Amino acid sequence: MPEPSTPQEDEVPIATSSIKRFRIGFNVILQAVLMLALVGVINMIGCKHYARWDRTPSKQYSLSEQTISILEALQEEVHVTMAFNRESDTYNYTTRMLELYEQHGGSKVNVLRIDPERDPSAILELQNQDPKLYFEQSKLLVSKHDKLLIDDPEKPGKQMVAPYQIVTDQDMFQRAESEMLGEGRIKRGQVVEYRLENALTSAILSATQERKQTAYVVTNISGMREPEAGRNAGSVLMLYGGGRQNLTVVPYALNPNQPIPKDASVVMLIAPKQDMNGAELKRLFEDYWEGENGGLIILFDPKYYDRIPNLRNYLTDKYGIALNDDRVLTVKSDGGRNR
């Protein structure tokens, strides 16, 4: 009888070859499934825990530690309505910053984005609730309430306009008043300073405070009289401060024989043009400020440095504060030149 044939050494049985191909295919599929699962887990973690790096020199795309602390400590909801045209040069920046407020405020910060040109019905609804509202420019509306009309607690069955704060384009951004030539050319109207965080955080604080804050602006030392528009910083505060930042601004004549009013949240001395005597210094600094009765803000004008030696020496000797005249806060165009 003939001998049964045996497979050659270089031949592989058909069954063994199929099993090997199956194992290879299975491993490929398993690796693909595991890779997809890994990517999915990474995305889930990234959605909940992510970080962004702000590499701008001024950290204009970041929130300060103070603002983050305020947002994390919020006890009530805050509703922010962003009324910006999407074509605005500050739309993307403002959107990014509001995302940071939502991130750190969690469920306490709610943002509604409206384009007045693309969604006029939403703007009309706001104006129907409060006819005083108008949207001729970019604005943020901040309130503890998601609707402007709420039930009046003192008049059952009637409604009232809920308190809210308005943050305007001028509050959020400083723009160039004139063209500045040179290597870093700046066009008129271009944003030269971003103030959104300070303005919005202030509005959030004001919206969540129960009582209105009162600022007393010293008039008899700074030489201010009537609050006329455009006259000086104090006048602008007295005209517009109350309506925007929940702040009542009151002109005040400092009297060394009388204590500063107890409801003063802050006393402001703006560009003093005359010096202070010992009794006035004691009343303002020792009795009021060191007694932790309120805040104190002093703005100096270099033009009047030589008129206030007592105040300057007092600040230096008692608190170690020396005035420098090499910080430019404002640039104005005068006869074609910037000064």
Side-chain angles (χ1 to χ4, degrees), residues 19-208:
I19 293 173
K20 183 176 290 187
R21 285 198 299 269
F22 174 78
R23 287 178 177 174
I24 293 174
F26 177 78
N27 286 335
V28 170
I29 294 174
L30 180 61
Q31 291 176 15
V33 171
L34 291 176
M35 182 62 69
L36 290 174
L38 180 61
V39 172
V41 171
I42 292 174
N43 284 335
M44 289 178 61
I45 295 174
C47 289
K48 296 181 179 179
H49 308 281
Y50 63 91
R52 293 176 177 173
W53 286 268
D54 181 2
R55 300 186 182 279
T56 57
S58 60
K59 299 298 180 184
Q60 67 189 39
Y61 286 91
S62 305
L63 295 182
S64 66
E65 294 182 2
Q66 293 87 342
T67 292
I68 293 174
S69 298
I70 290 170
L71 294 175
E72 292 178 345
L74 285 174
Q75 300 298 315
E76 322 178 71
E77 288 189 358
V78 175
H79 298 269
V80 181
T81 300
M82 174 184 169
F84 272 58
N85 187 315
R86 293 185 186 179
E87 305 302 322
S88 167
D89 60 342
T90 56
Y91 178 86
N92 291 333
Y93 172 79
T94 305
T95 299
R96 167 72 183 111
M97 293 299 289
L98 288 179
E99 288 175 355
L100 291 177
Y101 275 81
E102 290 178 295
Q103 175 187 336
H104 292 287
S107 61
K108 298 296 184 183
V109 177
N110 304 284
V111 177
L112 173 64
R113 295 168 179 84
I114 298 176
D115 186 332
E117 291 191 4
R118 302 187 184 191
D119 195 4
S121 60
I123 295 297
L124 183 60
E125 181 180 351
L126 289 172
Q127 291 176 328
N128 286 338
Q129 296 179 67
D130 185 3
K132 296 179 181 179
L133 271 177
Y134 55 95
F135 295 89
E136 83 295 350
Q137 61 174 346
S138 301
K139 286 184 178 180
L140 298 178
L141 188 152
V142 184
S143 175
K144 291 192 299 183
H145 307 273
D146 58 348
K147 298 289 185 182
L148 291 184
L149 283 181
I150 60 174
D151 294 331
D152 191 335
E154 298 182 359
K155 300 177 181 179
K158 293 189 176 183
Q159 290 188 312
M160 60 175 285
V161 177
Y164 62 83
Q165 305 298 315
I166 290 292
V167 185
T168 67
D169 185 89
Q170 289 93 335
D171 297 327
M172 295 180 280
F173 310 104
Q174 180 181 355
R175 298 180 180 273
E177 297 181 1
S178 60
E179 289 196 8
M180 300 178 67
L181 306 179
E183 293 184 2
R185 179 168 181 171
I186 298 177
K187 296 182 179 180
R188 180 182 177 87
Q190 181 178 336
V191 176
V192 294
E193 183 180 353
Y194 293 85
R195 303 169 173 172
L196 185 149
E197 181 186 352
N198 288 339
L200 180 54
T201 301
S202 175
I204 289 175
L205 283 173
S206 299
T208 54

